[in-house]
Amino acid sequence: MDTFPSEDNRTEEAATIKLAHFSLAWSIFHEIYHIKLAHNCASAQVGIDTPERFQEDEFKCDAYATHMIVGGVEPYAKHSNEDLMQVRRL
């Protein structure tokens, strides 16, 4: 017997897909910033890779990726006349 997924299952599936999309986008933005850092520092920073610098670069890439994902929430809500708290919940 074929059955349709319940509303709860569709909601869970949609949430899972959204989470996968956000995770993928965050990872791509993170790696893009690694490329940008390498390009900007290639000539000036040759041979200066230390654990501290590695960690600093990772934090910079994390911050960039996070900003790219959630940094535009407030302008989007204002521009689209949406409730900011509602947009943040999505």
Side-chain angles (χ1 to χ4, degrees):
M1 165 170 61
D2 291 330
T3 59
F4 292 103
S6 69
E7 182 67 32
D8 289 340
N9 287 345
R10 287 192 301 264
T11 301
E12 287 178 15
E13 183 178 323
T16 302
I17 291 169
K18 282 183 182 182
L19 181 59
H21 289 169
F22 280 116
S23 298
L24 178 60
W26 188 93
S27 297
I28 291 170
F29 285 129
H30 177 96
E31 295 307 321
I32 286 171
Y33 205 72
H34 273 296
I35 294 167
K36 183 177 179 178
L37 283 175
H39 177 73
N40 288 344
C41 298
S43 59
Q45 302 291 331
V46 174
I48 308 180
D49 287 334
T50 64
E52 293 81 16
R53 174 136 179 110
F54 174 78
Q55 187 176 27
E56 180 183 322
D57 286 353
E58 286 300 316
F59 287 145
K60 286 179 183 177
C61 293
D62 290 350
Y64 176 79
T66 300
H67 173 75
M68 293 302 291
I69 297 295
V70 298
V73 170
E74 289 183 32
Y76 168 79
K78 185 176 182 178
H79 177 73
S80 62
N81 295 318
E82 297 285 343
D83 178 53
L84 177 60
M85 295 309 293
Q86 183 67 23
V87 173
R88 285 185 173 162
R89 279 186 236 154
L90 300 175

